[in-house]
């Protein structure tokens, strides 16, 4: 399920302010768990976007999303570990695409034979 990130981010900020304002209340203790849930939702949203780019064969943006998750969500280990594996694959495919484009610019491509059509 995809959640709008603005409302999740606002909820995360709200729970943080609740914890700071009322540190000894029972709600402050519950807010810690809710903050973890919000962080997990944000990480899953970024993972979803990375997967969308992956499925569109846009490996550069996918790689950037996956590395963003690894860098910014280490507290969500199940999502972060999966994103780390996907980031390695996306980077490999991204570099492969880049080298293919460079090779076609230098050597040409059989596709140019059909440009006149």
């Amino acid at each position: 399920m995809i959640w709008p990130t603005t409302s999740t981010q606002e909820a995360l900020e709200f729970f943080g302010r609740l914890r700071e304002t009322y540190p000894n209340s029972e709600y402050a203790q519950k807010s810690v768990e809710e903050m973890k849930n919000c962080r997990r939702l944000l990480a899953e949203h970024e993972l979803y976007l990375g997967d969308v780019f992956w499925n569109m064969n846009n490996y550069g943006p996918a790689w950037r999303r996956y590395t963003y998750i690894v860098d910014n969500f280490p507290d969500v280990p199940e999502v972060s570990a999966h994103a780390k594996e996907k980031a390695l694959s996306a980077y490999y495919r991204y570099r492969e695409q880049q080298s293919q484009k460079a090779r076609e610019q230098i050597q040409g491509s059989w596709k140019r034979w059909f440009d006149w059509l």
Side-chain angles (χ1 to χ4, degrees):
M1 171 181 266
I2 301 304
W3 291 80
T5 57
T6 54
S7 61
T8 306
Q9 187 66 36
E10 288 172 359
L12 183 63
E13 292 170 5
F14 171 77
F15 289 125
R17 284 193 308 268
L18 176 69
R19 242 180 84 212
E20 290 175 2
T21 307
Y22 304 104
N24 297 327
S25 72
E26 65 180 278
Y27 301 111
Q29 301 304 321
K30 292 179 184 178
S31 70
V32 173
E33 199 61 38
E34 292 301 322
M35 289 174 70
K36 288 179 184 177
N37 288 336
C38 289
R39 299 265 310 153
R40 183 184 50 77
L41 287 173
L42 290 171
E44 287 175 353
H45 178 74
E46 291 295 324
L47 184 65
Y48 173 78
L49 292 176
D51 289 343
V52 167
F53 284 123
W54 175 277
N55 291 329
M56 293 176 8
N57 296 329
N58 290 333
Y59 299 112
W63 167 59
R64 288 181 198 93
R65 289 286 180 165
Y66 296 139
T67 55
Y68 177 80
I69 295 168
V70 171
D71 293 341
N72 294 304
F73 295 99
D75 55 324
V76 188
E78 61 277 357
V79 176
S80 183
H82 179 68
K84 186 174 184 177
E85 292 175 13
K86 292 287 281 198
L88 292 172
S89 298
Y91 181 73
Y92 172 76
R93 291 185 181 199
Y94 170 66
R95 295 302 296 166
E96 192 174 52
Q97 279 181 340
Q98 295 298 93
S99 65
Q100 179 67 27
K101 286 179 185 177
R103 187 172 32 256
E104 285 178 3
Q105 285 180 348
I106 294 170
Q107 298 174 353
S109 171
W110 62 269
K111 297 173 190 174
R112 291 187 186 168
W113 288 79
F114 299 101
D115 285 344
W116 63 273
L117 292 177

